[in-house]
Amino acid sequence: LGSKVLHLGHCRVSLSSPEIRAGFNAIKANIQARDPIRTLSILSHPHSLHKVKSSDRCCITHHLLDFYMDKVFRHCKTEDPFIDRRISSIANSFLSARRKLEQCHLQNQCACGQESREKLTQVLANYAALNVTSAAIKSLGELDILLDWVEK
Amino acid sequence: SGELSCSLPNPRNVHFESVNMKNVLRWSAPEGAGDGVLYRVKYSVYGVGRWIRKPECRNINTTWCDLSSETSDYEEQYYASVKAFLNGMCSDWTETTRFNPLTDTKIDPPTVSVSSTEKSISITLTAPEKWTRDPEGESVSLLHVYPGLQYNVSVLNRKTKKRWFFSISNNTLVVPWLEPETAYCVSAQIHVSTPLLHSGFSKEHCVATLKDQTTK
């Protein structure tokens, strides 16, 4: 399905987003149905990702990839092998993108401004407002929100 | 007391039907309800969660409600819900799945216009416009919503039945080195790679190349 090169300031990262989207679309209805909470979003409220300045895109993408690897995928085990396989394939795509972005981060090309820190703090606060499994499932159900923003 | 008993079966298949981001909520009547059922509709922005009633869809007898205006911000996601009423009874609220206008809308084919010379045809494509609240106001092309939008174009030589396919990003295409006085039929489709969306192919537009003036 190919990859998409994300232009994040000085960093270039290829993300197999069509493949991630296809995997997510296959499990979206199931995962979102496991999340009954309408009043809270991990990524998009109170401040939408789409309001983030372009200079902060690299830092936020880098930290959100970390967030999904460290706090989401590993807590999304389900009773359905089909769904688990899709989740691990998405996680693998995130892993390779994170590795590439890590190198750019180490070369100080992916700095974090004040707004990035505030946005990331908000994401972690939204996550912490729920128990780990509910927060992880809700975050996974918002993958299209992340992709819609990252691919813009 | 005037308390309603909510034992009426629920509306069924409550879902958004979206074309070019004209987002219409649709549903089917409760099983076996017969005539006279009325409905109320509410919606919410995901993450905000406060349910908002749609006054224009209060006590309606149709099984659809246009929520395009309420769901026009395609950077947000939404839920909607419907409740049925009949003879002093009501159903439970029945919700949609989460609706993401950006990924869940369907896109109409582009409009195609074709002109010809002796040995070439020129094709101009126009992407559909995003639904807009004020039809008289400024329109927004879906090209603005999906910057990576591309066109797949099919050109058929009606005499030889030979067909070519092109994939282009800009909206004009000139096909050279064609045969004079021959009918060519053009059809086009929109393709968006992320999120993955594509329209159907447009109706075929046929045009004939002109007579070759150099051969007397």
Side-chain angles (χ1 to χ4, degrees):
Chain A
L1 285 168
S3 302
K4 184 175 172 90
V5 176
L6 307 181
H7 298 263
L8 305 167
H10 299 293
C11 299
R12 295 282 176 282
V13 174
S14 71
L15 181 69
S16 47
S17 46
E19 192 181 319
I20 293 171
R21 282 233 190 229
F24 177 69
N25 286 340
I27 63 175
K28 170 180 166 179
N30 183 296
I31 293 296
Q32 290 182 348
R34 295 168 190 253
D35 172 17
I37 302 168
R38 306 283 188 267
T39 52
L40 172 72
S41 162
I42 304 292
L43 296 180
S44 54
H45 284 276
H47 306 299
S48 166
L49 275 174
H50 295 279
K51 304 293 186 271
V52 164
K53 291 203 304 282
S54 56
S55 55
D56 284 302
R57 277 175 66 83
C58 185
C59 165
I60 290 184
T61 303
H62 177 228
H63 284 277
L64 286 181
L65 291 177
D66 282 347
F67 168 75
Y68 270 84
M69 292 307 298
D70 303 337
K71 289 184 174 295
V72 177
F73 296 129
R74 64 183 57 197
H75 297 299
C76 285
K77 192 90 177 67
T78 73
E79 74 296 338
D80 184 332
F82 169 82
I83 289 181
D84 289 352
R85 275 198 306 275
R86 292 294 169 135
I87 293 172
S88 78
S89 135
I90 292 170
N92 288 333
S93 301
F94 269 58
L95 188 60
S96 72
R98 178 170 79 159
R99 265 197 211 111
K100 291 170 199 145
L101 203 45
E102 187 64 27
Q103 289 151 23
C104 202
H105 180 69
L106 295 176
Q107 296 149 16
N108 286 321
Q109 307 276 353
C110 195
C112 290
Q114 178 60 23
E115 185 176 328
S116 316
R117 280 191 289 274
E118 283 167 11
K119 180 60 192 172
L120 295 164
T121 304
Q122 174 198 83
V123 167
L124 295 176
N126 290 339
Y127 182 92
L130 305 172
N131 70 68
V132 169
T133 304
S134 303
I137 287 289
K138 178 174 272 298
S139 304
L140 181 59
E142 295 185 6
L143 210 53
D144 52 347
I145 295 176
L146 175 63
L147 292 170
D148 290 350
W149 171 70
V150 148
E151 289 167 347
K152 252 173 81 167
Chain B
S1 78
E3 199 64 38
L4 287 179
S5 93
C6 286
S7 55
L8 192 64
N10 292 341
R12 293 168 296 164
N13 188 24
V14 182
H15 66 286
F16 276 97
E17 219 161 79
S18 175
V19 179
N20 302 337
M21 294 198 178
K22 176 180 172 65
N23 307 325
V24 178
L25 184 67
R26 292 187 186 279
W27 61 89
S28 306
E31 184 100 45
D35 296 334
V37 183
L38 299 180
Y39 303 96
R40 289 181 195 170
V41 169
K42 63 182 181 181
Y43 66 93
S44 76
V45 176
Y46 171 64
V48 175
R50 187 168 53 82
W51 287 103
I52 303 167
R53 299 293 176 108
K54 169 83 171 174
E56 297 86 344
C57 295
R58 176 182 166 80
N59 297 336
I60 56 173
N61 57 14
T62 56
T63 56
W64 60 270
C65 171
D66 191 337
L67 291 175
S68 302
S69 199
E70 290 77 13
T71 57
S72 61
D73 181 352
Y74 53 82
E75 289 177 351
E76 294 287 1
Q77 307 198 347
Y78 305 88
Y79 285 91
S81 193
V82 183
K83 191 182 185 84
F85 297 83
L86 178 64
N87 304 334
M89 290 191 300
C90 61
S91 74
D92 296 328
W93 285 102
T94 308
E95 275 180 20
T96 62
T97 56
R98 194 178 306 169
F99 173 64
N100 178 344
L102 197 66
T103 58
D104 298 344
T105 199
K106 290 192 172 46
I107 298 180
D108 277 337
T111 55
V112 178
S113 72
V114 193
S115 62
S116 65
T117 65
E118 291 153 32
K119 293 184 178 175
S120 72
I121 59 175
S122 300
I123 303 163
T124 302
L125 305 166
T126 308
E129 289 166 5
K130 175 185 184 290
W131 173 89
T132 171
R133 195 172 284 133
D134 172 13
E136 305 312 318
E138 192 197 339
S139 65
V140 173
S141 167
L142 284 180
L143 197 56
H144 176 80
V145 178
Y146 303 103
L149 183 148
Q150 292 193 317
Y151 301 97
N152 294 334
V153 184
S154 148
V155 178
L156 170 74
N157 178 326
R158 271 239 301 253
K159 193 192 305 181
T160 63
K161 301 296 186 238
K162 182 176 178 189
R163 188 185 292 268
W164 299 273
F165 281 99
F166 305 86
S167 192
I168 57 173
S169 297
N170 60 340
N171 69 328
T172 54
L173 172 66
V174 176
V175 183
W177 301 315
L178 300 179
E179 293 175 47
E181 294 182 277
T182 303
Y184 290 90
C185 294
V186 177
S187 168
Q189 168 195 45
I190 282 175
H191 172 76
V192 177
S193 54
T194 50
L196 187 60
L197 293 170
H198 49 73
S199 72
F201 268 91
S202 67
K203 199 164 53 67
E204 268 193 341
H205 284 252
C206 300
V207 70
T209 47
L210 306 181
K211 185 178 174 63
D212 187 352
Q213 301 304 329
T214 57
T215 59
K216 283 287 177 276

